[in-house]
Amino acid sequence: MADAHPNGIPALPDDVSAPDPSDVARAAFAVADAVSRRDQTIAVVEGATGGYLAHVLTTVPGASGWFRAGIVAYTDYPKQLLMRVSTDTIEARGSISAETTIQMARLARRLFATDWAVAVTGYADASAPAPSVRAPGAPGDVPSGYALVQGEIREPVAGATIVAIAGAPGTGGDATGDADISWQEHLVPAHDRDGYRRGAALIALEYLLEHLDADRSEEHTSELPSLRHLVC
């Protein structure tokens, strides 16, 4: 797993801008090509991107052959009710944290029986998540096999984004029972919400491609944009 920046998240240079929609579309086509050739399936669960990741993936013709489902868990309530994020996790680390995002990815893969699941949480602006009541039946304890990072809940930082990937055992990452989990934290441009969604989606697609280790064609890679230099 990649460690979070030890001193918090540094500011982005002023000249860093959000990717163009066509940049994100090219990355989505690269993912589609990779999973189709491998006869695999994916699911996504999103917070701050608000369904944009599922949107760009399902714009690819034939997406129903490999894209199984997408969930927008925008607040604490659906993260607890649908994605079974524990109350302990949200109270100790917050709903926008590595621990929460990892739990979302793992359950999405199990729930939809896919080869891969991608979870994204983040801050589209510097606003803190609105308080939420506990969802009925939400698990209280941190799931077995997980550990909480010690420390206080971080203050909101516009553009701070966490992506978690859940894959089959042996695909890379930390083993957590029925899946291998890996995650990364990034800072993406957040000058406006549309730009933030594009940047966060591109980061998620690039991270999934890294896991797929696909032999992408030249047309997909020649101008494939990258925000990897923004990794914290």
Side-chain angles (χ1 to χ4, degrees), residues 74-83 90 132-136 138:
Y74 203 71
T75 64
D76 293 4
Y77 194 90
K79 287 174 183 173
Q80 291 181 300
L81 181 67
L82 300 177
M83 306 316 301
I90 290 186
S132 178
V133 297
R134 178 174 176 174

Side-chain angles (χ1 to χ4, degrees), residues 153-178:
I153 297 175
R154 179 181 292 157
E155 291 297 318
V157 174
T161 302
I162 300 163
V163 179
I165 304 282
T171 55
D174 290 348
T176 56
D178 60 350

Side-chain angles (χ1 to χ4, degrees), residues 23-189:
D23 298 335
V24 188
R26 283 194 290 273
F29 270 85
V31 167
D33 179 64
V35 294
S36 295
R37 287 188 290 103
R38 290 170 175 261
D39 195 26
Q40 293 182 334
T41 54
I42 65 174
V44 301
V45 55
E46 306 175 62
T49 47
Y52 184 75
L53 181 57
H55 164 71
V56 297
L57 287 167
T58 54
T59 58
V60 179
S64 62
W66 48 267
F67 182 88
R68 189 158 287 175
I71 290 179
V72 178
Y74 203 71
T75 64
D76 293 4
Y77 194 90
K79 287 174 183 173
Q80 291 181 300
L81 181 67
L82 300 177
M83 306 316 301
R84 313 306 293 162
V85 176
S86 73
T87 301
D88 281 357
T89 299
I90 290 186
E91 290 180 351
R93 300 301 300 153
S95 60
I96 301 173
S97 63
E99 294 88 345
T100 292
T101 314
I102 287 168
Q103 290 177 38
M104 291 165 62
R106 184 186 182 190
L107 185 65
R109 182 176 177 272
R110 294 176 60 190
L111 182 63
F112 297 113
T114 55
D115 297 288
W116 300 94
V118 183
V120 184
T121 63
Y123 294 98
D125 56 35
S127 302
S132 178
V133 297
R134 178 174 176 174
D141 298 332
V142 177
S144 175
Y146 293 88
L148 295 180
V149 177
Q150 298 302 310
E152 298 179 353
I153 297 175
R154 179 181 292 157
E155 291 297 318
V157 174
T161 302
I162 300 163
V163 179
I165 304 282
T171 55
D174 290 348
T176 56
D178 60 350
D180 280 6
I181 305 288
S182 57
W183 66 276
Q184 286 188 342
E185 185 173 24
H186 303 259
L187 191 63
V188 302

